[in-house]
Amino acid sequence: MGVVEQADLSFFFGPHLLEEGAGLERAALVVHFAQRTGSGATGNEVRVVDGEGRLLRRLPYHGIGGIPPVLPPFAAMNQRYAVVQAAVLTRKDSVVALVGGIGSPRNSVALALGGRGWRMVSAQYLVVDRVTGHTLPFQLPLALRGPALETARAAGLVDGSPDVRPARSPLTGDFVRVRPERLIETVGIGERLGPATLVRLCTTGGQRCHLEERDFALSVWPPDAGADPAFAVAPRLRLLLPESGGAEEAADLLDDRLTVLTKGAVPCPAVPPTPRERPAGSTTWGSTPPVQRTSTLLSSAGSSDARAAAATT
């Protein structure tokens, strides 16, 4: 590993991380961290090799993140996996992907859904197995800032604990990374879930939340995965939120609507678009064209009482 501490990998990947010797001899891909070599080279790099040791990719390492993420090396597995920036949750047979970039209220809405019995599938990415169509768990830490962080701290989140780390972005400033199981019940990494309902988060000048059927272009990596059934025929909704607040009301709307959809009821008709909406947060990677179609917090101890108390906050 060299330039990366195992404690850092454990924090980022939690239950996904296997100890050395735990089936690694069967690994199709292996990632090495190393110092960059060559004339004038500085910094660190990631090298991805196949099971026979052949170099597949070599790229600078500036940290975990991006689309596709550096780890796992999705860029070397684009025929098998597709990735969308989203927070993903499940309840019973329903799966929802809250689509929104940094600065969107997706984490606030996700934590509010946790207070209604939803479990976290992934805090940052919707990961789809392109062969089976399954939605896969990917338990990275949540990145909390603004109202979501304030809500977590009000419910008792303590900075400095092993599952909480301060961080800083040159674009968005200070934020806090928190292991998802600290805040919300999570699904097991071995679970395989059905396709997700895609929900675009938008902010408006209104005072109330509104949920409606609305097609939208979805940024998918790799771009050709946008034609896969998991995306091409997935239900699409738009969730309009006020400039500030509204997470609890939004969670109520999603919980009611997706419970109805799961039961097979006919969804409500769409309403005229709100002229002043804009996508919540931002994304900076490629898009695929739209397809035409006619607070639970602090649950690390496993206590339902803690979740119930937080849900009333």
Side-chain angles (χ1 to χ4, degrees):
M1 291 168 50
V3 300
V4 177
E5 297 289 338
Q6 184 164 339
D8 292 337
L9 293 180
S10 297
F11 175 77
F12 276 101
F13 296 108
H16 295 285
L17 196 66
L18 298 178
E19 294 294 333
E20 186 175 0
L24 298 185
E25 68 281 355
R26 298 187 301 273
L29 296 174
V30 179
V31 176
H32 296 277
F33 300 94
Q35 293 184 340
R36 299 180 69 182
T37 59
S39 177
T42 60
N44 303 318
E45 67 180 13
V46 169
R47 301 170 188 167
V48 182
V49 301
D50 64 15
E52 298 180 0
R54 290 173 295 196
L55 182 66
L56 300 179
R57 290 183 63 84
R58 181 176 180 177
L59 65 161
Y61 176 69
H62 302 295
I64 297 168
I67 295 291
V70 174
L71 299 174
F74 285 120
M77 301 183 288
N78 60 344
Q79 297 302 312
R80 181 62 189 262
Y81 300 108
V83 182
V84 172
Q85 189 173 11
V88 186
L89 299 99
T90 185
R91 180 171 181 242
K92 298 181 179 177
D93 295 328
S94 293
V95 180
V96 62
L98 306 176
V99 180
I102 296 174
S104 75
R106 70 183 189 195
N107 284 338
S108 295
V109 176
L111 293 177
L113 283 171
R116 291 153 178 79
W118 290 73
R119 298 180 296 153
M120 180 67 74
V121 179
S122 177
Q124 298 187 31
Y125 304 108
L126 167 62
V127 180
V128 174
D129 186 323
R130 301 185 65 183
V131 175
T132 66
H134 288 138
T135 299
L136 305 180
F138 190 23
Q139 302 293 358
L140 296 179
L142 288 96
L144 298 184
R145 51 174 60 81
L149 180 57
E150 293 172 5
T151 299
R153 284 173 170 164
L157 183 71
V158 178
D159 294 342
S161 61
D163 46 12
V164 179
R165 290 189 178 187
R168 182 172 181 79
S169 166
L171 297 178
T172 61
D174 295 335
F175 65 99
V176 173
R177 288 191 176 101
V178 186
R179 286 296 312 163
E181 56 269 19
R182 178 80 166 101
L183 302 174
I184 186 172
E185 185 179 355
T186 59
V187 305
I189 62 172
E191 292 192 40
R192 297 296 178 261
L193 308 171
T197 296
L198 306 172
V199 179
R200 165 72 75 184
L201 303 185
C202 298
T203 55
T204 75
Q207 300 300 313
R208 301 297 301 272
C209 294
H210 181 69
L211 183 65
E212 63 186 15
E213 288 187 66
R214 176 59 61 89
D215 200 2
F216 57 86
L218 183 68
S219 296
V220 183
W221 181 92
D224 69 291
D228 292 357
F231 304 111
V233 299
R236 280 171 163 82
L237 302 172
R238 184 175 65 171
L239 178 60
L240 304 176
L241 296 98
E243 293 285 349
S244 62
E248 295 294 331
E249 181 184 4
D252 281 337
L253 291 175
L254 286 170
D255 189 45
D256 291 344
R257 178 62 172 269
L258 294 177
T259 299
V260 169
L261 288 177
T262 300
K263 293 178 180 178
V266 177
C268 299
V271 299
T274 302
R276 291 186 294 169
E277 90 280 351
R278 64 177 185 274
S282 62
T283 56
T284 58
W285 32 288
S287 298
T288 55
V291 176
Q292 297 299 320
R293 290 186 291 272
T294 52
S295 61
T296 188
L297 300 172
L298 300 174
S299 59
S300 60
S303 168
S304 58
D305 293 335
R307 289 195 290 273
T312 63
T313 304

